[in-house]
Amino acid sequence: MSHQPLRLPPGRDIRLSDFDPGFHGGLDRADAEQETRHHCDALDELAYRLYAEAKRAVVVVLQGIDTSGKDGAIRMLASGISPQCLDVRSFKAPSAVELAHDFLWRIHAAVPAHGRIGVFNRSHYEDVIVVRVRKLAPPHVWKARYDQINAFEKLLADGGLTFVKCFLHISRKEQRERLEDRLRDPRKQWKLGPDDLADRERWDDFQAAYDDALTKCNTEHAPWHIVPADRKWYRNLVVARLVRETLERLDPRFPPFDSTLLTRLT
Ligand code: AMP
Ligand code: MG
């Protein structure tokens, strides 16, 4: 396949089985890594301008099953963008306090302030994915959430937040290899728990839950991107490109300079 769309127009059915997780656009690893480094260099300057302007914010939402490369994508972004401009937030199973509020409460509190780039390692989408698959809430609760998520994202978009929603798409085979690697590597074993292996057994349920979430929450104001992620270097390239393109479109400007300051330096 020489071409695979990164996103579909809102309203179209998204079925992950139509997307090849191994797609790499005909690129090889060395070229992709070089291009990624260029994007990271450009991102540093763009993030600095966004920070100086302090009027708008960006949030990169990373979703994907275990081992899909969320941590790796964050490491790549952090290698380019100054920590001063970056807010990385990871969402685990909600605490008792979080569960005593609506599901978007903890998410809203983590939204980056104007001038900053947020990265969500998992997000409110877990509330229509893992909650559905592990039956942590009844269907009428999670089914109502697609509209709630769309309204929430619209509110944030109207307030100056730009979403870059990335689904990191890996194959079942690739996940097996990565899980096996984790099981054998003492530096990675800590990442694995029984839940991860139980989730793998529900592979098809997760894919179906993602098909629905990606389809129902693929809006003009916050579209989904399906990032082929079986190759880590291609995944990084696609995410870097998306974030760079987003910031270039925003074209953040330095605030106007008060030239009377020039005469005030004593
Ligand atoms: P990890 O990202 O591997 O550190 O694991 C975090 C775990 O928290 C995953 O198993 C997620 O599915 C789970 N998690 C995240 N958000 C929620 C949520 N809203 N409800 C239940 N589990 C969640
Ligand atoms: Mg995990």
Side-chain angles (χ1 to χ4, degrees):
M1 208 189 307
S2 65
H3 177 71
Q4 176 166 288
L6 209 50
R7 50 176 288 203
L8 293 183
R12 283 266 300 278
D13 263 359
I14 295 179
R15 272 178 321 196
L16 287 175
S17 54
D18 294 339
F19 292 80
D20 175 10
F23 181 77
H24 57 95
L27 288 174
D28 69 28
R29 179 176 182 153
D31 288 345
E33 286 178 344
Q34 194 185 18
E35 191 189 324
T36 303
R37 273 193 297 277
H38 284 308
H39 294 318
C40 284
D41 289 344
L43 273 176
D44 193 29
E45 167 67 17
L46 287 159
Y48 181 67
R49 273 164 45 197
L50 188 81
Y51 186 73
E53 182 195 73
K55 290 208 168 107
R56 294 170 293 175
V58 170
V59 68
V60 182
V61 174
L62 298 174
Q63 280 290 156
I65 54 162
D66 267 307
T67 76
S68 58
K70 301 182 288 295
D71 296 1
I74 293 169
R75 204 172 309 120
M76 179 277 295
L77 288 171
S79 76
I81 302 169
S82 162
Q84 171 127 283
C85 310
L86 202 62
D87 286 332
V88 179
R89 299 296 297 264
S90 295
F91 295 95
K92 310 278 181 187
S95 68
V97 174
E98 288 167 345
L99 280 175
H101 291 79
D102 73 87
F103 78 104
L104 293 168
W105 179 73
R106 66 174 183 160
I107 310 294
H108 207 158
V111 167
H114 291 165
R116 306 181 66 87
I117 299 173
V119 184
F120 285 180
N121 180 350
R122 305 186 188 269
S123 67
H124 41 305
Y125 284 93
E126 293 295 326
D127 294 283
V128 289
I129 304 288
V130 75
V131 166
R132 164 175 165 175
V133 175
R134 291 192 197 155
K135 300 189 166 57
L136 302 174
H140 75 271
V141 169
W142 58 258
K143 280 184 182 168
R145 288 181 174 165
Y146 302 111
D147 288 344
Q148 292 163 352
I149 288 172
N150 289 340
F152 172 68
E153 291 180 353
K154 179 78 167 60
L155 167 87
L156 296 176
D158 288 348
L161 185 73
T162 300
F163 282 91
V164 185
K165 298 195 298 194
C166 298
F167 173 74
L168 307 184
H169 185 34
I170 60 167
S171 62
R172 193 156 200 267
K173 181 168 169 286
E174 180 67 21
Q175 194 202 33
R176 194 180 192 310
E177 280 167 26
R178 293 186 189 181
L179 286 173
E180 209 169 352
D181 193 43
R182 282 189 186 179
L183 284 167
R184 289 179 204 288
D185 182 346
R187 292 190 67 259
K188 294 185 182 168
Q189 283 161 344
W190 68 271
K191 285 193 177 194
L192 269 183
D195 280 352
D196 297 321
L197 300 178
D199 281 351
R200 178 171 165 81
E201 285 167 22
R202 291 177 244 172
W203 178 273
D204 291 338
D205 296 342
F206 272 97
Q207 299 291 302
Y210 267 115
D211 282 354
D212 280 349
L214 297 173
T215 297
K216 291 179 197 287
C217 299
N218 185 34
T219 55
E220 265 334 318
H221 58 270
W224 269 110
H225 301 90
I226 293 121
V227 178
D230 269 2
R231 290 177 170 84
K232 295 173 182 176
W233 48 266
Y234 191 68
R235 170 204 75 209
N236 279 349
L237 173 61
V238 172
V239 173
R241 266 186 195 154
L242 278 172
V243 180
R244 179 181 180 175
E245 282 164 13
T246 302
L247 281 161
E248 281 183 340
R249 219 177 322 114
L250 290 175
D251 192 20
R253 300 296 169 101
F254 291 111
F257 177 62
D258 172 5
S259 57
T260 63
L261 289 178
L262 285 170
T263 60
R264 285 182 42 198
L265 179 64
T266 53

